Amino acid sequence: MEENRDFEAEVEQLMEAAPELAGKELPEAVIDAAAAGKSLKAAYDEFKAGEETVLRQNEAARAKAPVGGVSGSGGIVEREVDDFLRGLNEEY
């Protein structure tokens, strides 16, 4: 890591580009990339691009999934049980 790196300027640049980060911790991947020499803004931009890629992949997988969701009956339409059958099925 560079000895004379101006982190204050990097933080200022990052906050201008991503004000939603104010008061929050940076993701570990951003911290690791910055420690390896990337600027904070470049590291965060790379992190966000990766995050967006994962979201797009998840959405594509969801669209391809054969099941649209889970219902209480697993997609089987339940019919109302009539009183006569209910009486036959009761235990005495």
Side-chain angles (χ1 to χ4, degrees), residues 11-54:
V11 169
E12 199 172 299
Q13 182 185 27
L14 178 61
M15 288 293 107
E16 286 176 14
E20 69 274 6
L21 289 174
K24 295 182 181 175
E25 279 190 39
L26 288 175
E28 195 68 34
V30 174
I31 294 169
D32 292 343
K38 282 192 178 187
S39 74
L40 285 173
K41 183 178 178 321
Y44 185 71
D45 289 344
E46 186 177 292
F47 170 78
K48 287 300 284 183
E51 200 173 60
E52 290 170 3
T53 299
V54 169

Side-chain angles (χ1 to χ4, degrees), residues 56-77:
R56 279 194 303 274
Q57 289 171 345
N58 287 347
E59 188 59 37
R62 190 173 304 123
K64 290 179 186 177
V67 178
V70 178
S71 67
S73 60
I76 299 171
V77 177

